[in-house]
């Protein structure tokens, strides 16, 4: 194996993401785990959504269709293990900080990724690692200084004449780490029971609406964050003040109007405000007394 050589001139702003999506998935009977769907979306796509603002996202695995463009990499030889896979992904990054993730995290969010980066930068440590409910480090849900990772990769390559088969703990053992806890985001899917648990959880009342909206946006290629509460209030007003079928039709027309205006969340909010006001005026006419000037 060729000795590891770090690239020069890393950027100091933003961050890159390296997602490890290989592995044999033996506990899933050899299934293609990154492609397993939870809430209608492949596990890999759910992780990619959580690091969507990365400058560069590298996925270490065989290339496949994904919800957004990524850079593909492959460890040599294929199946050489997580340290070799991380090295292959890191070669294609340039930022000073990198988020390193596995591809089986159904509940990872942008907020958790940002917490990891904030903890890394505020602490001055070389890595910020998520811990699971038992307090164990999850080195594949973490943010690292890329210079520190490259230093340790050089050390391991020298000590072991390569990286094949090395466990990830050998790499992170030489890093100064800080830790944050997030029992939900650290949940990973190693077995079919884990998959079933994840699928059940996102259908719970407190999660299903957000999960559905995220899935629809991914499916339609929409990158737009709007105030869902405003739209739900509008739907309620239209259903109660006009007629039940008016709710979905009105929210559709609001979206269409915002698109016609080539606007973002503000355009949606303004169109929803106007439609809600109209629905309330419509409802008021049913309660106003039938005399001049009433209502």
């Amino acid at each position: 194996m060729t000795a590891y050589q770090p690239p020069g001139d890393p950027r100091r702003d933003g961050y890159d993401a390296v997602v490890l999506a290989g592995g044999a998935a033996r506990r899933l009977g050899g299934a293609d785990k990154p492609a397993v769907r939870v809430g209608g979306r492949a596990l890999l796509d759910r992780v990619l959504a959580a690091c969507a603002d990365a400058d560069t996202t590298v996925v270490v695995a065989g290339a496949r269709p994904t919800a957004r463009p990524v850079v593909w990499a492959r460890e040599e030889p294929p199946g050489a293990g997580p340290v070799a896979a991380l090295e292959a992904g890191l070669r294609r990054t340039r930022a000073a900080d990198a988020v390193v993730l596995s591809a089986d995290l159904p509940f990872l969010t942008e907020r958790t990724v940002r917490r990891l980066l904030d903890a890394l930068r505020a602490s001055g440590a070389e890595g910020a690692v998520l811990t699971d409910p038992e307090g164990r480090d999850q080195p594949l849900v973490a943010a690292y200084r890329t210079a520190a990772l490259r230093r340790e990769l050089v050390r391991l390559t020298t000590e072991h004449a390569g990286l094949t088969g090395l466990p990830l703990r050998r790499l992170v053992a030489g890093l100064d780490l800080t830790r944050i806890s997030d029992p939900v985001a650290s949940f990973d899917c190693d077995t079919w029971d884990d998959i079933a648990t994840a699928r059940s959880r996102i259908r719970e009342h407190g999660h299903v609406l957000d999960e559905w909206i995220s899935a629809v946006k991914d499916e339609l290629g929409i990158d737009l964050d709007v105030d869902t509460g405003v739209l739900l209030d509008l739907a309620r007003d239209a259903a109660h003040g006009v007629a039940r079928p008016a709710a979905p039709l009105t929210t559709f027309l609001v979206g269409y109007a915002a698109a016609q205006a080539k606007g973002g969340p503000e355009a949606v909010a303004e169109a929803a405000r106007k439609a809600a006001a109209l629905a309330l005026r419509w409802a008021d006419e049913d309660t106003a007394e039938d005399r001049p000037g009433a209502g």
Side-chain angles (χ1 to χ4, degrees):
M1 177 178 175
T2 304
Y4 178 77
Q5 295 293 329
D9 301 325
R11 292 191 309 274
R12 292 296 174 184
D13 57 331
Y15 75 97
D16 291 334
V18 178
V19 181
L20 305 190
R26 293 182 180 86
R27 296 171 71 185
L28 288 177
D32 183 10
K33 182 162 65 170
V36 173
R37 295 185 177 274
V38 172
R41 291 188 290 166
L43 283 170
L44 175 57
D45 284 333
R46 297 179 73 90
V47 172
L48 293 178
C51 57
D53 62 343
D55 295 334
T56 300
T57 300
V58 184
V59 179
V60 186
R64 68 187 65 209
T66 52
R68 68 178 180 87
V70 300
V71 176
W72 295 97
R74 193 71 174 171
E75 72 275 21
E76 290 292 341
V83 176
L86 177 56
E87 184 267 346
L90 204 64
R91 283 179 178 272
R92 289 158 175 79
T93 66
R94 297 296 301 277
D97 301 326
V99 171
V100 177
L101 306 167
S102 62
D104 61 350
L105 302 164
F107 305 126
L108 186 70
T109 64
E110 289 182 87
R111 179 178 178 273
T112 302
V113 169
R114 183 53 53 188
R115 284 184 65 205
L116 286 167
L117 288 165
D118 289 346
L120 175 70
R121 291 161 180 170
S123 66
E126 295 175 322
V129 179
L130 210 65
T131 59
D132 68 12
E134 285 73 42
R136 294 171 297 200
D137 289 350
Q138 301 297 308
L140 291 182
V141 198
Y144 299 101
R145 305 285 186 187
T146 53
L149 287 178
R150 290 174 176 133
R151 181 195 72 218
E152 292 305 300
L153 286 167
V154 169
R155 178 181 64 79
L156 290 177
T157 299
T158 301
E159 291 178 358
H160 300 276
L163 301 173
T164 299
L166 293 180
L168 202 59
R169 65 177 181 272
R170 291 277 187 91
L171 178 69
V172 300
L175 299 176
D176 173 29
L177 300 176
T178 188
R179 294 165 176 83
I180 65 173
S181 175
D182 191 329
V184 175
S186 63
F187 181 89
D188 58 1
C189 293
D190 290 327
T191 68
W192 285 113
D193 284 344
D194 294 336
I195 297 291
T197 297
R199 288 171 172 170
S200 176
R201 183 182 184 277
I202 65 170
R203 286 172 172 78
E204 294 173 0
H205 177 71
H207 308 286
V208 66
L209 186 58
D210 287 341
E211 288 286 348
W212 170 247
I213 290 171
S214 295
V216 170
K217 289 196 297 184
D218 275 1
E219 191 72 16
L220 300 181
I222 299 171
D223 185 16
L224 179 67
D225 289 323
V226 297
D227 187 340
T228 56
V230 168
L231 295 178
L232 289 173
D233 288 345
L234 167 62
R236 179 202 62 206
D237 292 341
H240 292 175
V242 183
R244 189 172 298 276
L249 293 172
T250 304
T251 52
F252 164 77
L253 291 172
V254 163
Y256 186 82
Q260 288 288 93
K262 295 181 171 57
E266 297 81 5
V268 175
E270 177 62 13
R273 184 193 64 79
K274 290 180 179 179
L278 174 62
L280 292 175
R281 294 198 304 271
W282 186 292
D284 284 345
E285 291 181 5
D286 288 339
T287 59
E289 296 181 17
D290 188 13
R291 64 173 185 270

